[in-house]
Amino acid sequence: MRATHVPETGVVTVREWPKPQATEQGTFVVRMTAASVCGSDLHAALHGTLHPKGPERAGYPGHEGVGVVAESNSEKFPVGTTVLCVPPGEFGGAFAEYMLLDDDHAVALPSDVNSDDLTQMRRYMMAQQLGTCIYAFDLYWPTEVPARTAGTCVIMGAGSAGLFFLQDALRRGFDQVIISDKEPARLEIARKLGARTVLIPDEDLGTMVSELTGNNGADLVIEAVGSDELRTQAVDIVANRGIVGWFGLYESFEPTLVPIFEVFRKCVRLQGSVAAQSEPGLKSFHEAVRRVHDGEVEVDYCLGPTHTLDQVAEVLRIAERGGDGQVKFTIVP
């Protein structure tokens, strides 16, 4: 089968690999319908966070995909089942014609899904990243007694994750959501979804947050880009006793500076989020699939043009420079 290969940082090719086989109980092979590019793919393939086993893994670093079970050694996922693929991010495997999964890393799609309808399958593919956002938001904004005041939520980055966080913040009752980005097209989507927007660098996020919160700062700040500079700024603009959620992955394995004095002075809670794929029962991914099915979340702005496996390297570079107006990129094997 054909799949991507990342032999070293900065090099992404396509080559022939052995087709996976479901030899162990509870495993199955998915014929991939589509995969999508995640921001973490950029860090893994281009920015120096290549997993040590990455060069040995077909389809790496892709980990968001949908497809149909073509071979099965699983009672849970028989042949013909349409599935959302949720492998651990460090394993990848989605940028391929076929991918091996197990019972713990897939969600069966609703029975009314037409696997031949690429547009419908692509909509459900968005449930992978949406699921990671739901999982993260539960960590960032847990149920507390007494309940926190859901006043202002700031989201750094209007990519697909940032726009999902925006919709979830409004769903959870925040009075206002402020979202920043460098891409006007993405901010236009955010405005239509109900956010106040900040175009970087033409506008200053700190100034906007101060003006809209009466100098109090944001109750919750979510960094959804993956930038050490923005993670620092998040601490600057969060309110006293506020929460900062770090969603965008680290840029490297090297240590980075954290404004400790500000964290202590303001009594800030710092919360990371990773490994939603290990959540018992994949609860957040099931909820994401349900929201897509019931039309409770907007995802069509993610359905831009499709690309082939041979274009993965090019697409990663486009995504790296901001997407050229696109929110999400689909790879069709």
Side-chain angles (χ1 to χ4, degrees), residues 228-242:
D228 289 340
E229 180 181 355
L230 293 184
R231 280 184 276 265
T232 296
Q233 186 183 23
V235 174
D236 292 337
I237 65 177
V238 75
N240 289 338
R241 299 187 179 276

Side-chain angles (χ1 to χ4, degrees), residues 15 38 51 75 92 124 184:
R15 54 168 262 197
C38 176
H51 192 279
E75 295 181 2
Y124 279 101

Side-chain angles (χ1 to χ4, degrees), residues 32-33 36 87 109 112 139-140 201 233 243 295 328 332:
M32 300 301 295
T33 299
S36 59
L109 297 182
D112 59 355
L139 293 174
Y140 302 155
Q233 186 183 23
I243 298 174
K328 201 72 169 170
V332 178

Side-chain angles (χ1 to χ4, degrees), residues 52-297:
K53 296 289 187 179
E56 304 171 16
R57 291 175 175 157
Y60 181 87
H63 55 278
E64 301 178 1
V66 285
V68 180
V69 176
E71 174 193 338
S72 181
N73 200 354
S74 164
E75 295 181 2
K76 186 177 179 181
F77 295 97
V79 170
T81 306
T82 56
V83 295
L84 174 70
C85 307
V86 290
E90 67 270 20
F91 280 79
F95 296 152
E97 294 178 320
Y98 294 89
M99 179 165 59
L100 180 67
L101 286 173
D102 60 41
D103 286 349
D104 295 327
H105 292 101
V107 174
L109 297 182
S111 59
D112 59 355
V113 173
N114 179 2
S115 61
D116 294 325
D117 185 336
L118 180 58
T119 298
Q120 187 181 44
M121 290 289 280
R122 290 175 69 196
R123 288 192 180 106
Y124 279 101
M125 182 166 63
M126 296 306 111
Q128 196 283 344
Q129 186 166 67
L130 175 60
T132 66
C133 293
I134 293 171
Y135 173 82
F137 217 130
D138 285 342
L139 293 174
Y140 302 155
W141 201 251
T143 300
E144 297 181 353
V145 179
R148 285 177 174 264
T149 299
T152 299
C153 175
V154 171
I155 300 165
M156 298 167 144
S160 53
L163 293 170
F164 287 148
F165 280 128
L166 159 59
Q167 294 185 70
D168 205 1
L170 294 173
R171 179 190 182 93
R172 293 172 191 248
F174 277 86
D175 295 331
Q176 65 176 346
V177 180
I178 305 168
I179 190 165
S180 63
D181 202 274
K182 296 179 179 180
E183 294 290 326
R186 294 181 176 184
L187 291 178
E188 179 59 27
I189 297 170
R191 276 192 290 272
K192 291 179 179 178
L193 291 172
R196 298 291 296 266
T197 61
V198 180
L199 179 62
I200 305 296
D202 296 355
E203 300 173 291
D204 182 72
L205 178 60
T207 299
M208 180 71 77
V209 172
S210 180
E211 291 176 353
L212 294 177
T213 64
N215 296 320
N216 290 323
D219 302 288
L220 172 64
V221 181
I222 300 175
E223 197 284 330
V225 175
S227 161
D228 289 340
E229 180 181 355
L230 293 184
R231 280 184 276 265
T232 296
Q233 186 183 23
V235 174
D236 292 337
I237 65 177
V238 75
N240 289 338
R241 299 187 179 276
I243 298 174
V244 171
W246 286 341
F247 185 80
L249 286 191
Y250 38 85
E251 298 170 282
S252 73
F253 296 126
E254 298 301 317
T256 187
L257 296 176
V258 175
I260 293 296
F261 171 71
E262 285 299 302
V263 172
F264 272 83
R265 183 182 71 82
K266 296 164 74 172
C267 197
V268 174
R269 181 190 301 175
L270 304 177
Q271 177 68 60
S273 177
V274 72
Q277 298 89 339
S278 299
E279 182 183 27
L282 299 178
K283 178 176 68 73
S284 298
F285 292 108
H286 282 278
E287 171 63 11
V289 168
R290 186 199 65 77
R291 291 186 192 181
V292 173
H293 181 267
D294 293 350
E296 295 180 7
V297 60

